[in-house]
Amino acid sequence: MKFEYRYFGNSQVNDSATATSMQFAPDTLRTPTYFAATLQPTLALAYREAISAMHDVVVSDLRTQPKDRTAYFAWLAENEASLLADFMAQEKDLREKIAPVRAELTKVQNKKAEVIKPFYKAQREYFDYLYKENRDMWIVLDPVITVHPDKVFFECFSRDESTYASLSCRHNVFKHLGEFACGTTNIDYSSALYDEFQKIRAYKETRFEIQADGFQVQTGHDEQYHEAKIDLPDSWMRGFLQVSTAMSLPAHKLDLHPMDVHSICHILRRKTERVGPRSIRFILEPGQPITMLFEPWGIKLVCQRSVFTGKEAAEVRIWGRRRLLTLERLIAVADKFSVMLMGTGLPSFWIAHLPDMDYTLGLSGWTANDWSRAGQFDLLAPRLDVDDTTAQAVAHALSSQWSASTASLAQQLQLDSKLVASALTGLMQAGRVVYDTVDQVARWRDLVREPINVASLRFASEREALAAQLVHKNLLLDLQSARTTGGGIEWKASVSTSITNTKKLSKTMIRLDNDDRLVDGNCSCDYFVRNRMFRGPCEHMLAIRQIANSKQ
């Protein structure tokens, strides 16, 4: 996907002994969005640490970096003939003939190394300079900022696409609020701007401003404009959309004392794993302190300050735990941390509650499994056929009031809550809505300026497309349904393994809760046996679900 940004000037910070002024350059190609206010001095430290923690996510890339063996293979290519000759030489006279040739070759290679040495040195210095002085080239997507009547929040994605972060600031964080226009825009964000953030102090006045000037100039040839055209992989945008849907799904919720998060980071800093499993096992017992088991070391952490208040016992394992180290800066300024665990091997959300601010860290199932591949979470969300009129009505109602819960929208529009939830899921997948886990409301947020081709993003795994083909060819047999004790519905059927192999059947079951969310399932197909629900439901489950929706 190609994105085009046009910024009016550059984001900058003017720092003096008595005041700091932060001016963010917005994308002038988008709907005018601006905001101006002064940061509360008592919250300056917390804001500085939170915005800095977001930067740590923006530049993070924990993918395994393969060892550079270019020099070795170059040496091997140059010496392959002599090595082979050594191996083949059996007689002394051959070795005597090889010796002077090898000596001469060594002299030539040494001379070549001396000639090319300045080039390699300059190349290394260039990349070192580029990383330190122009790190923007290493950052793919500028952060997104959204202004709402009650909040201002930033969102960003890591370079390896496995970590999502957002910082929401209530208007109480600021004083002397000036005029502002609600909306969403990209902001010009650089490593130099991050360095200036570190100068924020409580004794200095800090002015926060998203510039409105950029919207008053109409000519595109103004020298103050600079354009950035970025060709983003679909996986980046798909990951952003999957995060929004995942945050609205059921999860095990627990609260942690900041010192417990410190203990987690302390263990990860002190220990280095050599072998797997590299997971944290949460042992949750109602009314008991939260217990964590760090593998493979077998270290047990009992959080005496944090008691699990859930009603059912559970055991959940998460991977990619070193990404939690980005929370270190927030431990000293956070009141508490909330954790949402979706399940073993599934994403988790860590929310740091600061005074009038909330920092959300969203982690995919494990580092190598980014948000794009982590699972089709939109397929787990409530799914009903929503006509265009209903979808537009929900979109208009939410955009006019900026944030609302599913229940309030359903009451306002006199619609079934499941239908509204399905409409919101569609809007999330279109990049127009984000779920606020703290306030538990849907918020209007246009992620990009141009409409997103949802179809091209949605079927990355092709599971739902395959399910639609199974339903279209009527390859489901013995479909049965029964109410569960919790009030949901359990569906069972025998589904053809594929549209080309209709004789082999997969025994499939799905379980929907009262909100029509897929909470459990089972199938005898190869995809489910290998992946369980870690990568989302298989096409046979989705086929049953499509039939189930049509019968409701």
Side-chain angles (χ1 to χ4, degrees), residues 30-51:
R30 304 192 61 163
T31 304
T33 301
Y34 53 89
F35 183 84
T38 302
L39 190 64
Q40 294 278 11
T42 55
L43 300 177
L45 176 62
Y47 178 83
R48 183 190 72 198
E49 296 305 301
I51 200 72

Side-chain angles (χ1 to χ4, degrees), residues 300-551:
K300 179 182 278 190
L301 174 62
V302 180
C303 305
Q304 298 292 349
R305 307 175 185 85
S306 307
V307 177
F308 180 57
T309 57
K311 297 181 180 180
E312 296 182 0
E315 187 171 307
V316 180
R317 296 173 71 190
I318 65 171
W319 285 264
R321 57 197 179 186
R322 293 206 172 272
R323 293 172 291 176
L324 294 175
L325 294 175
T326 58
L327 296 174
E328 281 183 310
R329 298 193 65 155
L330 303 177
I331 294 173
V333 295
D335 297 327
K336 69 172 183 178
F337 288 82
S338 297
V339 184
M340 298 171 56
L341 303 172
M342 295 183 62
T344 296
L346 296 177
S348 60
F349 293 91
W350 299 68
I351 306 170
H353 300 280
L354 289 72
D356 288 316
M357 288 178 281
D358 298 288
Y359 178 91
T360 302
L361 183 71
L363 307 178
S364 61
W366 55 94
T367 306
N369 191 27
D370 60 46
W371 274 103
S372 175
R373 296 187 293 267
Q376 300 296 307
F377 298 106
D378 57 316
L379 307 182
L380 301 177
R383 301 299 296 278
L384 295 176
D385 291 332
V386 181
D387 58 89
D388 292 341
T389 302
T390 301
Q392 291 176 6
V394 173
H396 177 73
L398 183 60
S399 62
S400 61
Q401 59 195 71
W402 295 102
S403 64
S405 64
T406 302
S408 64
L409 285 174
Q411 183 178 5
Q412 177 184 342
L413 299 174
Q414 297 298 307
L415 295 173
D416 184 80
S417 60
K418 294 182 180 179
L419 192 62
V420 173
S422 295
L424 289 175
T425 298
L427 291 170
M428 289 177 188
Q429 290 308 298
R432 311 194 74 185
V433 170
V434 63
Y435 187 76
D436 187 338
T437 57
V438 177
D439 296 339
Q440 296 187 348
V441 296
R443 291 187 175 273
W444 186 259
R445 184 265 274 135
D446 268 325
L447 184 59
V448 294
R449 182 180 72 257
E450 301 295 336
I452 296 175
N453 185 355
V454 181
S456 66
L457 296 174
R458 186 174 186 176
F459 298 113
S461 69
E462 298 184 356
R463 295 296 156 192
E464 193 170 22
L466 293 173
Q469 294 178 15
L470 292 171
V471 174
H472 179 70
K473 293 185 177 295
N474 196 25
L475 298 178
L476 285 77
L477 304 175
D478 302 327
L479 183 65
Q480 302 175 4
S481 65
R483 287 283 177 181
T484 61
T485 55
I489 303 179
E490 184 175 285
W491 294 83
K492 294 181 179 179
S494 297
V495 187
S496 295
T497 303
S498 66
I499 59 175
T500 58
N501 187 1
T502 58
K503 294 184 178 180
K504 185 177 181 181
L505 301 178
S506 296
K507 300 295 184 181
T508 310
M509 180 275 292
I510 64 170
R511 187 176 295 118
L512 307 178
D513 65 5
N514 283 327
D515 294 323
D516 198 36
R517 292 178 293 205
L518 200 162
V519 294
D520 194 13
N522 195 6
C523 187
S524 60
C525 71
D526 179 66
Y527 180 85
F528 181 82
V529 171
R530 286 187 290 108
N531 300 299
R532 312 303 291 177
M533 294 285 282
F534 299 161
R535 294 178 180 268
C538 66
E539 61 266 29
H540 309 103
M541 294 181 183
L542 296 175
I544 294 179
R545 179 165 190 167
Q546 290 183 16
I547 294 294
N549 289 341
S550 65
K551 293 181 177 295

Side-chain angles (χ1 to χ4, degrees), residues 265-273 297 299 321-322:
C265 296
H266 177 67
I267 292 173
L268 296 178
R269 288 290 188 194
R270 187 165 54 91
K271 292 285 187 177
T272 301
E273 55 278 325
W297 312 303
I299 299 176
R321 57 197 179 186
R322 293 206 172 272

Side-chain angles (χ1 to χ4, degrees), residues 20 35-41 171-178 204-209:
T20 299
F35 183 84
T38 302
L39 190 64
Q40 294 278 11
H171 284 191
N172 293 337
V173 173
F174 309 98
K175 63 178 182 179
H176 304 145
L177 283 173
K204 296 194 296 186
E205 181 181 87
T206 301
R207 182 165 180 79
F208 178 89
E209 181 179 356

